[in-house]
Amino acid sequence: MSTSLRQRLRTWVASPFYPWTSGGALTAFAAVELLVVPRHSLVIALGVLLSAAALAWRRSHPATAALSAAAALVSFAAGTDLYIAATVSGLMACYTLGRHRVAHPALLVGGGSVLSLAVNVWHIVSWHPRSYSLDLLAEWFVLTVAILAAVSMGDAVRAREETQRERAAAQARVLAMERRQAAEAERAAIARELHDVVSHSVSVIAVQAESATYTTPDLSPQAREGFQQIAASARASMTELRRLLGVLRTDPQDRTGTAPQPTLEALGDLIAQHRSVGGEVELRISGDRVELPTSCELSAYRIVQEGLTNVRRHAPGAQAVVEIDYRPDRLAVRIADDGPGQPGVVHSGHGLAGMQERAALLGGKLTASPGPDGGFLVEAELPW
């Protein structure tokens, strides 16, 4: 059986119409069988029809399967023939009882075995009132084995589905944990970069304010005191900044934040790295090159880095174009590729979320969506 056909059958069996369709078809078959085999009583006919019709409610009301199994046994006890419709209905009913755990499997099999024994004894009394050979119990043995097989199969299917649900829940928990870890790693990276950028600037303010009190001639006492207050405030801000950034870090022993962070001057190395792994990229720079704040250059570099990473990950072999546009009051960054697009990445990836956070920290904005001519497009505006 092909995979597509097997999948279609599973979809059909899982549909809400399957119990009604199968129950109705089995009831129609039972009616035809009763017409073909006319030697039966009213009890047998009602038992065969009821055992088939009751299966239509087996999914919404699994307990009705017990009625179907009982009706099948009654129809068999009332006559000498075991109808095909009653046999199939009884086995399907036992499967349903085990599948939905209407009762413990041992109780279901035990109860079915006792009822089968009662039917067998009734047949012995009716047909062989003076015979007591163990061979006459073969009917009870066959019925018990059939009930055991049907209930066991239903219980096995139920156990397998529970295992699959537990596995899916465990995978969801692992995925959630990985997402939290990725978010923590991104926060730690942002904390390290903010430490480099902001602490450097604040420390420069403190040093310049304090040195001004010694290097500036004819400085009035009021101005000297003002510079010293600026230096003291800057040092206090540095202490508070380190404390707040420490909250963002996942590893208190992390000391990598002291490493120099890249700027737009390092874009050439980033482009070369992308090409070295087989990527195709073109760098376009427009506008008058001006000296930007360190935070702006660092964010622009990281946005380009993440954009090229996404191209390699989701559109390998695509041609990428990186555009840097120096505008009078802002820096525009654009990363586009001609790949097949990256559906769902905007909502599921932590990289794009981190890019948007970088832009938002500078008061800018970043959008990521499929390009107008195909591929994927990331656009950012970073005020400075």
Side-chain angles (χ1 to χ4, degrees):
M1 183 182 297
S2 64
T3 304
S4 60
L5 179 58
R6 189 183 301 112
Q7 186 63 33
R8 289 178 182 177
L9 288 176
R10 289 178 178 175
T11 303
W12 177 62
V13 170
S15 69
F17 305 104
Y18 170 71
W20 295 92
T21 303
S22 57
L26 194 57
T27 303
F29 177 79
V32 172
E33 188 178 16
L34 290 171
L35 292 176
V36 173
V37 186
R39 294 177 298 121
H40 56 74
S41 64
L42 181 61
V43 174
I44 294 176
L46 291 178
V48 173
L49 291 175
L50 180 60
S51 64
L55 292 176
W57 290 271
R58 67 184 184 276
R59 182 171 295 174
S60 57
H61 299 84
T64 57
L67 176 62
S68 177
L73 286 175
V74 168
S75 68
F76 181 45
T80 59
D81 296 322
L82 185 60
Y83 286 80
I84 297 177
T87 303
V88 174
S89 299
L91 293 177
M92 290 180 64
C94 292
Y95 170 85
T96 302
L97 293 173
R99 168 75 172 71
H100 293 278
R101 263 296 176 98
V102 175
H104 193 277
L107 182 61
L108 293 174
V109 174
S113 178
V114 171
L115 292 177
S116 300
L117 180 61
V119 171
N120 195 181
V121 170
W122 172 257
H123 283 167
I124 293 174
V125 172
S126 301
W127 305 339
H128 309 281
R130 297 182 181 180
S131 300
Y132 301 99
S133 172
L134 291 178
D135 295 340
L136 298 178
L137 295 177
E139 176 185 296
W140 164 73
F141 178 76
V142 172
L143 289 176
T144 300
V145 170
I147 292 173
L148 174 63
V151 172
S152 300
M153 184 179 297
D155 187 67
V157 171
R158 181 198 59 81
R160 184 185 65 182
E161 291 183 349
E162 286 186 354
T163 302
Q164 290 175 347
R165 286 194 295 268
E166 291 175 357
R167 185 183 297 113
Q171 290 176 348
R173 290 193 295 268
V174 171
L175 182 60
M177 182 180 65
E178 290 177 350
R179 288 177 176 173
R180 287 195 300 269
Q181 290 176 347
E184 291 173 357
E186 184 66 23
R187 286 198 302 269
I190 293 176
R192 290 193 299 268
E193 293 169 3
L194 284 177
H195 178 272
D196 284 344
V197 175
V198 180
S199 64
H200 173 74
S201 301
V202 175
S203 63
V204 169
I205 294 173
V207 171
Q208 290 180 345
E210 193 166 5
S211 63
T213 60
Y214 302 103
T215 59
T216 304
D218 302 329
L219 192 64
S220 64
Q222 295 82 0
R224 188 182 303 275
E225 183 179 357
F227 278 121
Q228 290 177 350
Q229 289 178 355
I230 292 174
S233 298
R235 286 192 294 270
S237 298
M238 283 287 297
T239 302
E240 184 67 16
L241 177 64
R242 291 192 181 97
R243 186 184 68 81
L244 292 176
L245 292 180
V247 176
L248 291 175
R249 297 192 178 194
T250 57
D251 183 7
Q253 304 301 323
D254 188 1
R255 294 290 182 263
T256 59
T258 57
Q261 297 296 330
T263 63
L264 292 178
E265 295 291 340
L267 277 183
D269 297 334
L270 185 62
I271 297 296
Q273 181 183 9
H274 182 76
R275 290 171 177 166
S276 66
V277 294
E280 299 181 10
V281 59
E282 178 183 0
L283 177 62
R284 301 174 183 173
I285 299 178
S286 58
D288 297 329
R289 178 74 165 91
V290 295
E291 184 178 354
L292 301 178
T294 307
S295 58
C296 184
E297 293 223 357
L298 176 60
S299 296
Y301 178 90
R302 293 302 188 195
I303 289 173
V304 174
Q305 184 182 43
E306 183 62 27
L308 293 179
T309 299
N310 284 339
V311 171
R312 292 194 298 270
R313 182 182 304 165
H314 302 287
Q319 171 71 38
V321 177
V322 176
E323 298 180 13
I324 306 295
D325 184 14
Y326 292 89
R327 299 177 182 176
D329 59 344
R330 64 189 60 239
L331 179 69
V333 181
R334 188 174 187 271
I335 305 101
D337 66 78
D338 58 0
Q342 305 170 28
V345 174
V346 177
H347 302 289
S348 62
H350 294 288
L352 287 176
M355 294 161 64
Q356 291 171 340
E357 290 178 0
R358 292 179 187 278
L361 285 174
L362 298 176
K365 62 180 181 178
L366 183 141
T367 59
S369 61
D373 300 324
F376 202 73
L377 176 64
V378 176
E379 292 181 302
E381 290 186 359
L382 308 176
W384 51 274

